[in-house]
Amino acid sequence: MGGDWLADAVIYEIYPQSFADSDGDGIGDLRGVIDHLDHIASLGVDTVWFNPCFVSPFVDAGYDVADYLTIAPRYGTNDDMVELVARARERGIRVLLDLVAGHTSIEHPWFRAELAADGPDPAGDRYIWVDDLPAREWAVDIPGTPAWVRSPGPPGGGRAGRQEAVGDARGGDQDAAEGVRDHFPTAVRA
């Protein structure tokens, strides 16, 4: 596994929910992926890329992450992910986790803290808030759900935030990437 591996990588994308269901509940899981690693390796794949697999209310197919440090229970556990990475590595397969740090669930603690704050949260200032709803109408795929709503934040705050399914953070966030790196050290280091 050399230094410039990405230039020639053969990447196989896995949406965990629909890949392989190991326990018969109708939802694919990490154990199902582990069970199929030999098949994946036989295809000449040297990297698997997982769509988001962290805790989420799954309003936005898992991209609305509520906790970047915990695997969604529907897919398994953090220990399952660590095992998957170790078993993949035994076969010369790298594991990439789709980490969209600039796109969180409205259930994420960062969003909740800033929503309740009187102005930007001093710990992060991660979200963009506006005083007025946008003039342009934004479409949402969820019937009856507005893309933008007035904030229920502090009285007189009058802030509006994009709250269809996610809070969009300012240009991503290093805290998320560093937290995942620290939490899954063997999973994110080459």
Side-chain angles (χ1 to χ4, degrees):
M1 294 188 185
D4 195 21
W5 63 271
L6 189 55
D8 296 316
V10 177
I11 301 174
Y12 189 92
E13 180 182 7
I14 294 178
Y15 182 56
Q17 187 159 308
S18 60
F19 183 77
D21 175 13
S22 71
D23 60 9
D25 68 357
I27 298 173
D29 48 51
L30 298 179
R31 180 70 40 207
V33 176
I34 292 169
D35 292 345
H36 288 83
L37 282 173
D38 287 332
H39 174 72
I40 293 169
S42 77
L43 299 173
V45 169
D46 57 17
T47 306
V48 290
W49 161 35
F50 279 87
N51 290 109
C53 55
F54 302 105
V55 168
S56 166
F58 289 92
V59 175
D60 191 21
Y63 282 88
D64 51 327
V65 175
D67 179 355
Y68 289 106
L69 302 179
T70 306
I71 297 297
R74 65 172 58 183
Y75 299 144
T77 66
N78 287 5
D79 288 339
D80 291 334
M81 179 57 78
V82 171
E83 179 184 349
L84 189 153
V85 170
R87 296 226 180 158
R89 182 171 286 160
E90 291 169 2
R91 292 162 176 81
I93 299 173
R94 293 175 184 268
V95 175
L96 297 178
L97 302 179
D98 197 339
L99 178 68
V100 186
H103 191 71
T104 67
S105 164
I106 60 175
E107 295 177 11
H108 194 285
W110 295 340
F111 188 84
R112 295 247 185 235
E114 197 157 318
L115 182 66
D118 186 16
D121 180 17
D125 190 18
R126 293 181 174 96
Y127 299 92
I128 298 170
W129 299 92
V130 296
D131 291 328
D132 297 308
L133 295 174
R136 179 176 154 251
E137 191 62 37
W138 289 45
V140 177
D141 293 335
I142 305 168
T145 303
W148 288 76
V149 296
R150 290 248 170 248
S151 166
R159 300 179 303 165
R162 182 168 179 253
Q163 194 164 324
E164 60 181 3
V166 300
D168 283 331
R170 296 178 182 273
D173 197 299
Q174 280 300 113
D175 291 348
E178 290 169 9
V180 169
R181 188 178 303 112
D182 292 343
H183 202 69
F184 295 106
T186 59
V188 295
R189 292 195 170 85

